[in-house]
Amino acid sequence: MSELNLVLLGPPGSGKGTQGERLQEDFDLPYHATGNILRRAVEEGTDLGKTAKEYMDNGDLVPDDVIIGVIAEELEKPEAEDGFILDGFPRTTPQAEALDEELQKVGRGLTAAILIDVPDAEVERRLGGRRTCVANGHVFHIEFNPPQEEGKCDVDGSELIVREDDRPEVIRRRLQTYYEKTEPLVSYYEERGLLRRVDGTKSPDQVGDQIRALLSTLRMEEDI
Ligand code: AP5
């Protein structure tokens, strides 16, 4: 496949971050998780972080213009020439349109928008047990994907924490925001022939296998 330009879609806790990290390893492409970018900005106290904090803590989306600029800057870097993996962007129709425009300007397009399908009850179970590495956002689950040493990230050894927005009341608000603002992107990408669905209720390895299989199918279609 000449370029691999991927968007990961799905409700909070569907496994976008888990699969995004695997795809990054498999394909050695830049991986941009807007949630991680924003959490880092909050941690560092930058202007972006100061703007984003209150929205994030309440389970709301940060304004489109704020996040569109961040991603546009990343996609213009030479590292993104062979492709990219976007996790958590786009999350609204204006963001999806902005991404299309950004890619069209340089004669590129998306390869696929991969929807990781997971029901709400599973989301609540997953986010309740999630532990996130404070340094780089690597993701674990106390039951489904435990770290080798409790409380410590397997990748970089940093502390694992419970995210501010993984409190039950904020999880419910994030789900509501997802259905209002982000779910319309399923039809947006379906209409453009770019949507690919995977069953996110399977184990992380099985979900990864489904994604690899669909990418091989796309590669074969491209070669025909
Ligand atoms: P963000 O960090 O993107 O949050 P999210 O979309 O709610 O997604 P999550 O990170 O919660 O979940 P995930 O799908 O990555 O699942 P994970 O792999 O961790 O965004 C946070 C906030 O930032 C937003 O609320 C918003 O305020 C702001 N924001 C971000 N982008 C924005 C944008 N574009 N526009 C405006 N605002 C924006 O998995 C979850 C848990 O389940 C883990 O513990 C994992 O180990 C476990 N798990 C994963 N897969 C499986 C599996 N198959 N089986 C069992 N367990 C699994």
Side-chain angles (χ1 to χ4, degrees):
M1 213 178 292
S2 41
E3 279 178 30
L4 199 56
N5 302 333
L6 297 177
V7 159
L8 297 176
L9 272 182
S14 53
K16 301 181 295 296
T18 302
Q19 298 304 328
E21 282 181 21
R22 290 168 182 231
L23 285 167
Q24 180 185 27
E25 265 177 37
D26 288 354
F27 295 101
D28 193 25
L29 289 174
Y31 164 57
H32 301 295
T34 42
N36 291 350
I37 294 172
L38 292 169
R39 275 186 291 281
R40 205 169 306 131
V42 170
E43 188 89 358
E44 290 168 359
T46 62
D47 287 346
L48 173 65
K50 284 180 195 146
T51 309
K53 185 172 180 357
E54 200 175 322
Y55 294 101
M56 294 174 80
D57 286 352
N58 290 332
D60 294 326
L61 298 183
V62 306
D64 287 333
D65 56 337
V66 171
I67 197 73
I68 287 170
V70 171
I71 289 298
E73 202 176 296
E74 293 298 340
L75 298 186
E76 281 161 16
K77 291 183 180 165
E79 295 89 306
E81 267 170 16
D82 292 336
F84 53 80
I85 302 155
L86 296 180
D87 160 3
F89 184 94
R91 240 179 168 99
T92 62
T93 305
Q95 291 181 21
E97 289 167 349
L99 176 62
D100 285 348
E101 273 171 37
E102 184 67 24
L103 294 174
Q104 273 159 18
K105 270 199 286 190
V106 287
R108 300 170 68 178
L110 280 184
T111 311
I114 301 174
L115 171 66
I116 308 181
D117 247 338
V118 168
D120 293 359
E122 181 67 15
V123 164
E124 297 194 22
R125 239 159 48 105
R126 287 190 187 177
L127 296 186
R130 173 162 61 185
R131 298 294 179 269
T132 305
C133 129
V134 78
N136 292 302
H138 298 120
V139 180
F140 299 86
H141 191 282
I142 49 174
E143 191 184 338
F144 308 129
N145 179 24
Q148 278 160 16
E149 192 181 330
E150 202 186 317
K152 224 175 195 190
C153 176
D154 290 353
V155 186
D156 58 32
S158 66
E159 186 196 356
L160 297 180
I161 54 156
V162 176
R163 264 171 48 175
E164 259 307 292
D165 59 353
D166 279 349
R167 288 173 288 132
E169 65 280 15
V170 188
I171 293 173
R172 281 191 289 277
R173 173 75 193 139
R174 285 162 63 200
L175 271 169
Q176 195 186 343
T177 305
Y178 172 77
Y179 288 115
E180 276 169 24
K181 307 262 177 67
T182 310
E183 208 197 21
L185 295 184
V186 173
S187 342
Y188 182 95
Y189 287 119
E190 211 153 34
E191 283 160 16
R192 286 158 180 76
L194 290 170
L195 192 80
R196 300 288 181 280
R197 287 173 193 269
V198 296
D199 178 357
T201 62
K202 306 288 184 201
S203 72
D205 284 348
Q206 288 168 321
V207 177
D209 288 345
Q210 290 177 66
I211 295 177
R212 269 191 294 277
L214 81 81
L215 292 177
S216 326
T217 310
L218 286 176
R219 188 170 285 145
M220 281 189 292
E221 285 170 2
E222 198 188 58
D223 289 344
I224 290 169

